[in-house]
């Protein structure tokens, strides 16, 4: 169980850390929005969506590419 939990834990922390600039974008003063717009739209938001999808349906992605857990191969 520990080996299966580690990639999900890493993805969860990346997801949380990437979402911090998005909160800054949403709650920043209107004058500062042009500074945050490009990195938020093209870097932080797509990475947050990608990590969220990998946490949600990552098991299907790993199966699609043939990367399986060693415990599932033995069973």
């Amino acid at each position: 169980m520990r080996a299966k939990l580690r990639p999900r834990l890493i993805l969860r922390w990346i997801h949380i850390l990437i979402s911090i600039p998005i909160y800054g974008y949403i709650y920043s003063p209107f004058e500062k929005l042009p500074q945050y717009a490009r990195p938020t739209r093209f870097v932080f938001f797509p990475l947050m969506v990608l990590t969220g999808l990998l946490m949600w349906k990552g098991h299907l992605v790993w199966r699609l590419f043939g990367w399986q857990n060693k415990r599932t191969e033995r069973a």
Side-chain angles (χ1 to χ4, degrees):
M1 174 148 177
R2 189 105 172 136
K4 194 172 186 180
L5 181 66
R6 197 164 302 269
R8 186 173 169 92
L9 183 68
I10 293 169
L11 284 174
R12 184 180 302 144
W13 276 106
I14 291 171
H15 187 78
I16 290 170
L17 292 174
I18 290 296
S19 66
I20 292 171
I22 295 172
Y23 289 125
Y25 175 75
I26 292 171
Y27 293 112
S28 66
F30 188 71
E31 298 82 30
K32 293 187 178 184
L33 282 181
Q35 296 173 358
Y36 294 119
R38 182 161 286 200
T40 302
R41 286 183 195 151
F42 299 116
V43 177
F44 299 121
F45 187 72
L47 281 175
M48 190 182 72
V49 169
L50 180 66
T51 56
L53 285 173
L54 283 174
M55 285 190 295
W56 178 46
K57 291 289 185 179
H59 63 284
L60 296 176
V61 173
W62 305 134
R63 190 182 311 156
L64 178 69
F65 289 112
W67 303 321
Q68 290 188 354
N69 193 356
K70 290 182 180 167
R71 272 195 282 174
T72 58
E73 289 176 0
R74 279 190 252 149

